[in-house]
Amino acid sequence: MRLLRSMLITGLSFAIGVGLVATIIGIPFWLFGGVSLPNVLGAVARLSIVSCLIGVAFSALVAITARGRSFDKLSLPYFTAMGTGVGFLYFLFMGFSGAFGVWSTSAAITNFLLVTVTGGASAAALLLIARKGRKEIGPGEDQGKIGKG
């Protein structure tokens, strides 16, 4: 149960982070670019859903490959590569689900870059946040005291 909860939290973390970034990028297009607000919100929603799926898959990959190691022992390039790899697998899933027949070459390249860069950047951000959170608890401190009161 703990593993499933962690996977869902990771997926939600990816979705929220990417959703915020997509919103920040989309607002100028809405205000100055002539793109409608429903189009911006639709793009944010799609990217958030995709990011959630990538986050859950990424979390499963971390659970399998990094079992027993703390976040301090995992390298940033390793984590980023895993996130990029999961994004690439999602790109292949989309493509073989019928998108390769619909996408133009430029659309395929854009989608490839979006999901792989998003996966890698989200993974890197997640590791940096996790490392920062781990520093709150010192090696000899009682972890049971955290969160009470």
Side-chain angles (χ1 to χ4, degrees):
M1 266 324 260
R2 197 171 103 195
L3 178 62
L4 290 175
R5 184 183 67 207
S6 297
M7 289 171 64
L8 290 175
I9 289 171
T10 301
L12 290 174
S13 299
F14 274 46
I16 290 169
V18 170
L20 288 173
V21 170
T23 301
I24 291 169
I25 292 170
I27 287 175
F29 284 100
W30 170 55
L31 293 175
F32 307 113
V35 177
S36 70
L37 183 60
N39 285 345
V40 170
L41 294 177
V44 168
R46 285 188 301 276
L47 285 171
S48 294
I49 290 169
V50 166
S51 297
C52 184
L53 295 173
I54 289 172
V56 169
F58 170 76
S59 181
L61 183 63
V62 169
I64 292 167
T65 62
R67 182 172 290 277
R69 289 188 271 170
S70 68
F71 288 118
D72 294 334
K73 304 262 190 248
L74 298 172
S75 73
L76 188 59
Y78 175 76
F79 231 63
T80 304
M82 284 195 301
T84 302
V86 170
F88 177 68
L89 291 176
Y90 184 74
F91 171 77
L92 292 177
F93 172 76
M94 287 189 308
F96 288 118
S97 295
F100 285 148
V102 177
W103 285 337
S104 65
T105 303
S106 64
I109 292 170
T110 300
N111 286 322
F112 170 77
L113 290 174
L114 275 174
V115 295
T116 57
V117 169
T118 298
S122 298
L126 186 67
L127 179 62
L128 294 174
I129 291 169
R131 283 182 178 170
K132 184 174 177 87
R134 298 279 293 161
K135 290 180 183 173
E136 299 296 322
I137 302 172
E141 295 179 32
D142 183 10
Q143 294 182 11
K145 292 182 182 176
I146 304 296
K148 290 184 180 178

